[in-house]
Amino acid sequence: MKYIDVILPLPLGDSFTYCVQDEWSDDIRIGMRVVVPFGKKKMYTAIISVIHTHKPETIYEIKGIICLLDNQPVLRFPQLKFWNWISDYYQAYMGDVYQSAVPAGLKLESETQIRINPDFEAEIRLSDKEQLILDILSDGKTTNISELTKNSGMRDVLPTLKVLLEKSAIEVNEQLTEKFRPKTETYVRLTDATRSEDKMKRIFDELNRAKKQLELFMLYIELSKCLTPNNQQEVSKKDLLEKGHATSAALNGLIERGALELYRKEVGRLDTGAVQVNAVFSLNTFQQTALNEIKQQFINKQVVLLHGVTSSGKTEIYIHLIQKTLNEGKQVLYLVPEIALTTQLTSRLKKVFGNKLGVYHSKFSDAERVEIWNNILNDKSYEVIIGVRSSVFLPFRKLGLIIVDEEHESSFKQYDPSPRYHARNAAIVLAEMHGAKALLGTATPSIESYFNTQTGKYGLVELNKRHEGIELPEMLVVDTKEAYHKKRMEQHFSDVLLEKIGKALQNKEQIILFQNRRGYAPYIECKACAYVPKCKNCDVSLTVHKAFNTLTCHYCGYTIPIPSVCPACKTPSLSTKGFGTEKIEDEIKQFFPDARVSRMDLDTTRSKKGYEKIITDFEQHKVDILIGTQMVTKGLDFEDVSLVGILNADNLLNFPDFRAHERAFQLLAQVSGRAGRKNKRGLVVLQTASPNHKIIEQVLRNDYLAMFDTQIEERKMFKYPPFYRMIQITIKHREVNIVKQAASELGRQLRTIFGNRVLGPIDPPVSRIQNLFIKQIILKFETEASPSKAKELLRETTNHLLTQSQFKSVRISLDVDPM
């Protein structure tokens, strides 16, 4: 008897063992999917992690698998090894890693919701089991696998569902996420009988009395070139009817006569049409020098940091390295922090790499993500993948290079749900497992990465010249405190910024305005009684969204209409406080009514094509002024942006976080880099109430090293990374007293082990989210100390706390290397 250890898509502390029936015992391999029973009448798709023949002694009954779903593994080496590293380093359950790594379309579960596809027409006879399932679903209602199993009386309903899914007979949902089924289209062809000359002649004789059918049949012959056997083309039903301006009735008539027949064909959702491929651009002297240095550094270093100023042409260097890697028969992963960046980069890279380039991010439907996964797994076409953090989980054959662009970005960190991994650090480990190289690129490196170059852990290559000799932008600082005092502010714009915007618009140049807060205003307040509407689920004020006339919580989504009078004192004295991108959009339209204005933030980019439309419109000069949050700072390249306005630098500087100054420098330097990109020196107007702040002065001088030296000194003094490791422990519960007791007890137990390395418990800035009260504890320990030992002690302590009856419903999560 063969046994398998499997990973279930559940937060479980260990793998589970199942026995394999004889019918599958010769076929099973590590990385394949099997359907297994788990718990009370529930079934899940598990991944095989170990195959063995010794019956383990377990406290649970070893059950058999229900079925094997694959002919070949859906995972490749070293994916399981990588999952193990993620699980171990970031203290996440393997089931959580599985849930995060594999598209939902590859996971069938008994909670999965199923309904019949109303457009399905059976073209071949269905089996009795398949027909039975469709009969049960024929009312059009949604049902789950448990109910289907019960109503059908079948023990193993999942294999039948898999076949129906492949035939597009059913649709599958999981929490409103569509499951994968191959996209198919109906095509038309001659029947076997019609291919004979006699039958063809007879068909034409019959069609003399049916003019519309004759025209459609003649069009089919023309489109399909079926009379020239070596040059035949497939014709879709849709194309045939559209080009012939015909109805389905005419086509059905031809089918009934036995002239034509329909068949379905998998067409795929991915854009794989023919692409014009261009040669790689040649590099200038500075770029070529940097490229040579990178290649030289890669001889001895696995990781190299490319520190190049904004607009220095880092992307062209990446393209040359990608080409070199492809020539060696290896694959490339190109990681970017934002989906917005993939839009611009895809068009640039597609011109060089054509259909070898694939894109992977969360705005794709689940079915599209499964197709990309399968494309890479089956070595179809993709050799270069450009994507966001989840791309590290794709089944690469042989990675030769991983590029992490804008490596300093906090978007590479996954916050919730678990695993809370950092894609940059995970990518470096993945590259090592593949024997590949990792290149980190940025104009403003993270303190940790730059520190690693100073200690010799990473290689360092610097690129200090902008492409085509463009100067760094001129920077003007406006003291908003003084401007308000001297009545030189109109709403949130200084007279200097308004004058420069007017001049840029006159010159037909484009403008970017940066405000790192979405919405219309952070909150509204009653002038009479000082009442501020709060979220009923979270300890936070509701953000004003004027476009929808709503107040919305950005933590849980709770939304109410904007009240016309104060709910507390019933006076019409409500006014907005602070400002977000929506308010800036409103104000700029008042000042410049003829300007074409667009806004790029989370609210305007929710759809799959949201980013693409805004970026394309701006590139094509359909927009004069682009207002955005930090999305606009991340490596976007616009040729004619002459002015960047930073509306309020102070909210970046005054954030209660040890990384606040580092982030403020990075954001301000990056957004400034969008100005004057191609043909003239740009201008940046920076509005702040603290013009003499050292970070503002460092940004003005573009002095990264001064910022690094100051920050590294402070971090050493106050025991922060990169000198100390950090783990953030978050404790949540619906009752405030229980969360206080649990956090206090956990803090006490941890201090007995780690002493003064434990800080807290403390209240985070928002201490209640979605009706859960929150406390946090920080554990700091030396980089020389064993991280695995520290994590093991931490996990034992938290597990011990959760065994106490009063704390059983407390939620504890660990965030290793919090951002």
Side-chain angles (χ1 to χ4, degrees), residues 339-353:
I339 295 166
L341 255 180
T342 65
T343 303
Q344 266 204 339
L345 277 171
T346 302
S347 58
R348 282 179 75 176
L349 269 64
K350 202 101 177 168
K351 288 172 187 169
V352 182
F353 303 112

Side-chain angles (χ1 to χ4, degrees), residues 600-644:
M600 184 167 161
D601 55 28
L602 193 62
D603 299 316
T604 61
T605 55
R606 290 187 189 276
S607 70
K608 180 180 167 183
K609 300 278 185 184
Y611 294 96
E612 205 172 309
K613 183 171 180 355
I614 293 167
I615 289 168
T616 305
D617 286 353
F618 199 58
E619 281 178 330
Q620 294 175 356
H621 277 266
K622 293 177 183 173
V623 171
D624 302 312
I625 302 173
L626 178 64
I627 299 157
T629 55
Q630 59 182 332
M631 282 181 189
V632 300
T633 70
K634 299 183 181 179
L636 294 170
D637 181 5
F638 301 114
E639 291 190 16
D640 296 312
V641 174
S642 67
L643 174 66
V644 167

Side-chain angles (χ1 to χ4, degrees), residues 222-271:
E222 181 192 333
L223 293 174
S224 68
K225 301 185 172 62
C226 60
L227 302 180
T228 52
N230 297 330
N231 196 23
Q232 288 189 22
Q233 306 287 320
E234 289 186 292
V235 179
S236 72
K237 175 182 172 182
K238 184 182 169 197
D239 280 353
L240 183 64
L241 294 180
E242 278 180 3
K243 287 175 180 171
H245 306 293
T247 62
S248 293
L251 179 60
N252 291 338
L254 288 167
I255 292 166
E256 283 164 19
R257 290 179 193 275
L260 296 175
E261 64 183 5
L262 301 179
Y263 66 101
R264 291 189 79 79
K265 179 188 167 189
E266 188 175 330
V267 290
R269 298 167 173 81
L270 309 176
D271 178 15

Side-chain angles (χ1 to χ4, degrees), residues 134-171:
L134 291 187
D135 290 344
I136 294 167
L137 295 171
S138 60
D139 60 359
K141 291 180 182 171
T142 308
T143 185
N144 62 33
I145 292 177
S146 303
E147 287 168 2
L148 264 182
T149 305
K150 187 172 147 193
N151 295 337
S152 67
M154 291 160 60
R155 178 178 170 270
D156 54 347
V157 75
L158 287 178
T160 310
L161 290 179
K162 182 173 178 262
V163 174
L164 287 171
L165 206 52
E166 286 166 356
K167 291 179 177 176
S168 303
I170 56 171
E171 293 175 343

